[in-house]
Amino acid sequence: MNDIRPFHVDIPEAELAELRDRLTRTRWPDELPGAGWSYGVPVSRVRSLAEYWRTGYDWRAHEARLNAFPQFTTAIDGQNIHFLHVRSPEPSALPLILSHGWPSTVADFLDIVGPLSDPRAHGGDPADAFHVVVPSLPGYGFSGPTTSGGWDVARIARAWASLMDRLGYREYGAQGGDWGGRIAPELGRVSSRVVGVHANAFVARPSGDPSELEGLTAAEQGRLAGLTRWQDERSGYAQIQSTRPQTLAYALADSPAGQLGWYVEWFDDYGENVGSIDRDAILTNVTVYWLTGTAGSAARLYREAASSWGAPASRSTVPLGVAVFPDDSTVRRFAERDHEVVHWSEFDRGGHFASLQAPDLLVGDVRAFFRGLR
């Protein structure tokens, strides 16, 4: 079946009332005096967000914002796939598929869809316009849960190629960060129709050859140290999700406060960038996972992709553009080993969630990269 069906988010009020009731009845853990973030997210941070979630956050406003964009679902390789599809008013627009990461949803891209699809209306050059496709990753949000195993990065990339073919696009670009920063380049490998790939929050690891580490700049050494720090101190969520996602799923499915704490540690950058992402943006992501019951399903991507994490990849000849934001671990020479890097930008503001933290910079860099590939 190749049917594409219109989709509209419409959460029953009873589910929102049940969420508020669960938040009211949260059993809070203790914590060590003065521990701060050293043992994980402080109770005060999660309690504050949970109380706002219960009494102040307006899901209906964000539901309406999602519904302001054309949304659809279709079945690909036996899996329901939800996506936004915003066609540009500019007839020469280049199709572009955006891929989010974890613990994000398509809501992360709502601030950039308009400027990308209709630059004329946002003070930009109409020649930079894109037809924008934004799918929810399989198992994430309105594309979930997954109903079979094997949904790794390569399978998602093949599904995206099928989706773009189903939409009638014969030539297109790909963009993504976090998991999307792996999916978009893989899409370039599996589809000859990809004219270029743009990535942020892009990870390129050293191969183990000591010569690769010679002559690194101070900034590059800092990024490499950041990658080591992530592996040593901050990869607990990935270790659990890549080995025992089902065990974790019971807590995530049953406790909204538990799910909030699990996600906000990443959004808050382990306490180093608290407040850099608007609390409504954080809660919209968390609420989508809660209402769709897909926190456990989303975690399974780590298990599915574990065998390929850090494994050697065939070199891609598709043009790659990379946007490096503060705290990214990207080192150019490692990226060039596996990719045809033709565009490289470094920014002094923003962060891992660039579409939320510096949407203007991300949009500008995407436009600049694809300008030479149209």
Side-chain angles (χ1 to χ4, degrees), residues 26 37 43 89 135 143 172 182 213 221 249 251 265 298 308 341 352:
T26 299
W37 283 79
V43 173
S143 282
Y172 52 90
R182 292 187 63 194
L213 307 182
Q221 290 174 2
E265 183 167 66
S308 65
V341 178
H352 185 84

Side-chain angles (χ1 to χ4, degrees), residues 152-159 186 190:
D152 58 7
V153 168
R155 189 175 178 185
I156 294 171
R158 293 193 298 270
E186 187 63 21
V190 303

